[in-house]
Amino acid sequence: MSRTDETDAERKMQFLFALRSKGVTNPRVLSAMEEIDRGPFVRGLFAERAYEDMPLPISCGQTISQPSVVGLMTQAAQINPRDKVLEVGTGSGYQAAILSRLARRVYTVDRHHKLVSAARELFEAMDLHNITTITGDGSRGLPDQAPFDRIIVTAAAEDPPGPLLAQLAIGGIMIVPVGQSDAVQSLIKVTRNEDGFDYDELLPVRFVPLLEGLGQD
């Protein structure tokens, strides 16, 4: 094993240890996060910090979430291999890439065309062919593709958005940060049942706000 291989292996072990220490214990989620290298999703000045458990800035004033939060959100969604998943907020594409290893089909939508294009290129380079990337207003979801078994929102809304709740299948789960954008938000798990919705508060988080309309790239 070369020195570089040893360094990569050690870095991956530390990465997975950090995830476990923050509560990411689901074997399928850990396996997906081991398989999907975060490195290609972090570019420019912060590339060397790709394996640290911290959020990092990306283009269009957005961020790539810290890996432990990605892991905890994914774990809370309880994704099954046959699920159809909607992600609102493509960002770097990292979360969608993780989801692609766990679900049958992933639809990811972002209001910034520049981010969608960059993510699509990465997905193609990584042979992730079960992801559909769309430029659009994520707060409205994708009614043409609904219902979804799982929905993950990577931007904070003041309340779980009505259009997204409506697009959740019976028995489906949505993970969404809720709260004012300049304060600590709460990560909420919404489960749809025959009678309505159940809400569980998971942990405090901090995300960029969920905005309506398309971004000015």
Side-chain angles (χ1 to χ4, degrees), residues 116-136:
V116 169
S117 296
R120 186 181 291 129
E121 283 181 17
L122 273 176
F123 300 152
E124 289 174 0
M126 298 170 82
D127 288 329
L128 303 177
H129 299 303
N130 62 336
I131 307 176
T132 300
T133 49
I134 297 160
T135 303

Side-chain angles (χ1 to χ4, degrees), residues 106-125:
V106 178
Y107 292 84
T108 180
V109 57
D110 200 289
R111 61 197 295 270
H112 294 285
H113 177 70
K114 180 179 177 181
L115 294 178
V116 169
S117 296
R120 186 181 291 129
E121 283 181 17
L122 273 176
F123 300 152
E124 289 174 0

Side-chain angles (χ1 to χ4, degrees), residues 95-183:
Q95 173 76 78
I98 302 292
L99 296 173
S100 77
R101 311 315 296 158
L102 300 168
R104 174 175 60 89
R105 187 87 218 157
V106 178
Y107 292 84
T108 180
V109 57
D110 200 289
R111 61 197 295 270
H112 294 285
H113 177 70
K114 180 179 177 181
L115 294 178
V116 169
S117 296
R120 186 181 291 129
E121 283 181 17
L122 273 176
F123 300 152
E124 289 174 0
M126 298 170 82
D127 288 329
L128 303 177
H129 299 303
N130 62 336
I131 307 176
T132 300
T133 49
I134 297 160
T135 303
D137 182 349
S139 67
R140 299 179 184 276
L142 291 175
D144 291 351
Q145 299 296 337
F148 294 96
D149 303 296
R150 302 290 185 267
I151 298 176
I152 290 186
V153 186
T154 61
E158 290 196 21
D159 296 293
L164 299 183
L165 291 173
Q167 291 169 38
L168 196 58
I170 302 295
I173 293 171
M174 177 163 70
I175 307 298
V176 55
V178 171
Q180 299 288 343
S181 60
D182 56 351

Side-chain angles (χ1 to χ4, degrees), residues 20 24-34 75 102:
R20 288 193 188 95
V24 183
T25 56
N26 181 285
R28 290 184 70 232
V29 174
L30 286 169
S31 177
M33 296 189 75
E34 182 177 12
Q75 180 170 275
L102 300 168

Side-chain angles (χ1 to χ4, degrees), residues 185-205:
Q185 305 134 2
S186 291
L187 194 65
I188 304 292
K189 176 181 179 180
V190 184
T191 306
R192 185 170 193 176
N193 51 50
E194 297 284 356
D195 304 320
F197 300 92
D198 292 329
Y199 298 86
D200 294 298
E201 198 168 319
L202 302 178
L203 68 150
V205 289

